Amino acid sequence: VQLQASGGGLVQPGGSLRLSCAFSGFTLDYYAVGWFRQAPGREREAVACITNSEDSTNYADTVKGRFTISRDDAKNTVYLQMNNLKPEDTAVYYCAFENFHVCGPSWYLKFPDIWGQGTLVTVSS
């Protein structure tokens, strides 16, 4: 599966950005896409997950209420709408793809440890 994350940039605290993850080359009719992020000097962190078959979503506590994950099946694209951004949201954001139905409590463990080019989000005044 090929993934392309985009939409990052520089935004002021309190601002918004929408990230996109376009994917292609999958063969099954059900999928899950997860967003992860990695700040300088820190470990990669799971952010949000969505599936198409159950329309299941899950979020990290640090972004719950501020970020919204959604999908457009016609465009094979998953979005991450990020509102009320904080400096601690600064990171490279990556998307990942796997085939499962529900974003359960440990959804992030189901994604492979294979990372493509992410998109940089910088929140700063």
Side-chain angles (χ1 to χ4, degrees):
V1 175
Q2 291 76 47
L3 300 169
Q4 181 65 53
S6 62
L10 173 64
V11 63
Q12 292 185 343
S16 299
L17 279 176
R18 189 179 78 159
L19 305 184
S20 299
C21 176
F23 51 93
S24 61
F26 59 100
T27 57
L28 300 180
D29 60 1
Y30 63 94
Y31 66 81
V33 170
W35 282 101
F36 297 77
R37 66 187 182 185
Q38 187 166 21
R42 302 189 66 176
E43 294 189 354
R44 201 182 309 269
E45 174 189 16
V47 176
C49 171
I50 190 167
T51 68
N52 69 325
S53 62
E54 300 291 331
D55 200 22
S56 169
T57 60
N58 209 334
Y59 298 88
D61 288 341
T62 52
V63 306
K64 203 169 292 184
R66 301 188 296 122
F67 290 11
T68 302
I69 191 169
S70 63
R71 68 180 204 276
D72 185 334
D73 291 338
K75 296 182 179 180
N76 289 340
T77 300
V78 166
Y79 303 99
L80 185 68
Q81 178 67 43
M82 306 186 296
N83 298 329
N84 190 21
L85 282 161
K86 304 176 181 180
E88 51 263 42
D89 294 318
T90 295
V92 177
Y93 284 70
Y94 302 88
C95 57
F97 185 98
E98 191 46 273
N99 299 108
F100 57 87
H101 296 284
V102 178
C103 299
S106 299
W107 60 266
Y108 47 91
L109 296 176
K110 297 182 179 180
F111 286 94
D113 192 18
I114 301 173
W115 306 101
Q117 184 177 2
T119 186
L120 176 62
V121 173
T122 303
V123 185
S124 175
S125 55

